[in-house]
Amino acid sequence: MGKLTNEQRNRLRDFLQGQGLTFKPLLEEMIDHVMCDIEDRMEQGRSFQQAWEQTVNEIPKNHFQIIQKETMETINKRFTLAQGLSYLSLVLLFASLMFKTMHWPLSSEFLILSFCTIAASLLTGLLTGVYVSKGKKGAIRVLAVVAGVIILLAGYAFKLLHLPGADQLVLLAVLVT
């Protein structure tokens, strides 16, 4: 007693979708959350129907729609930040190329700054993607690729500034990636 059948899980899924949950990762989280609540009540001796009615009656109106809206706004802010950093890095990269072509000072500084904003953009995009896709496999691989790219950017920055260790950073980046 206490475990839901596949039919009961499907009923719960249909209920949550009927409540307006359309974002699949959030839907899966909410199914798990509500399912645990129902199972806890069943372990206390209630039937599935009693546990179901009690749980459903305690859920405020539009509760799941509000949660989904807040979740989507949070994710959108994170993606917007990554997108803004991407645009900034492109502008800085273009400026550094123009400065280098025209032989103006600060071209190397603009290029390094563009590398830093690319790294920040990759990190914010990575963190958002891992948050949205938590529970799915492959996060470690994506993290390794992003880490490799960031180390590679650092290696190239070292090369531009003629700092020691540039070749070792590039080799490390290749190994990490």
Side-chain angles (χ1 to χ4, degrees):
M1 186 167 203
K3 293 291 180 189
L4 297 186
T5 65
N6 285 337
E7 182 180 313
Q8 292 166 335
R9 285 188 189 119
N10 290 337
R11 180 179 175 188
L12 177 57
R13 178 182 302 279
D14 293 342
F15 169 76
L16 291 174
Q17 288 174 333
Q19 292 291 307
L21 278 179
T22 56
F23 184 54
K24 189 171 180 175
L26 181 62
L27 175 65
E28 297 302 321
E29 287 290 323
M30 289 295 109
I31 288 171
D32 186 53
H33 180 72
V34 176
M35 195 169 71
C36 287
D37 192 29
I38 292 172
E39 288 174 346
D40 286 345
R41 293 172 196 256
M42 289 171 66
E43 287 176 5
Q44 295 171 2
R46 293 178 181 88
S47 69
F48 169 76
Q49 192 59 37
Q50 291 170 330
W52 172 268
E53 289 172 4
Q54 218 175 13
T55 301
V56 169
N57 289 335
E58 290 177 2
I59 298 172
K61 187 177 181 180
N62 298 329
H63 180 66
F64 296 111
Q65 291 172 342
I66 293 167
I67 290 173
Q68 180 168 277
K69 181 181 178 205
E70 290 172 355
T71 301
M72 297 309 290
E73 287 172 354
T74 301
I75 291 169
N76 191 34
K77 285 179 188 174
R78 290 179 182 171
F79 276 122
T80 302
L81 176 62
Q83 187 178 26
L85 288 169
S86 296
Y87 289 139
L88 178 61
S89 66
L90 288 173
V91 167
L92 290 169
L93 187 59
F94 178 73
S96 71
L97 291 174
M98 186 178 76
F99 273 52
K100 194 72 160 169
T101 303
M102 302 301 280
H103 302 288
W104 293 342
L106 302 178
S107 63
S108 295
E109 288 80 359
F110 274 125
L111 188 59
I112 291 170
L113 193 55
S114 75
F115 286 176
C116 291
T117 55
I118 289 170
S121 173
L122 286 171
L123 285 174
T124 55
L126 169 74
L127 294 175
T128 302
V130 168
Y131 173 77
V132 168
S133 301
K134 62 183 172 186
K136 292 186 178 176
K137 295 181 181 179
I140 300 297
R141 285 185 226 149
V142 173
L143 179 62
V145 169
V146 169
V149 170
I150 290 172
I151 295 169
L152 186 63
L153 290 171
Y156 286 139
F158 271 52
K159 279 193 173 285
L160 287 170
L161 296 172
H162 306 289
L163 296 173
D167 292 332
Q168 290 81 3
L169 279 174
V170 171
L171 179 62
L172 178 63
V174 170
L175 292 175
V176 169
T177 304

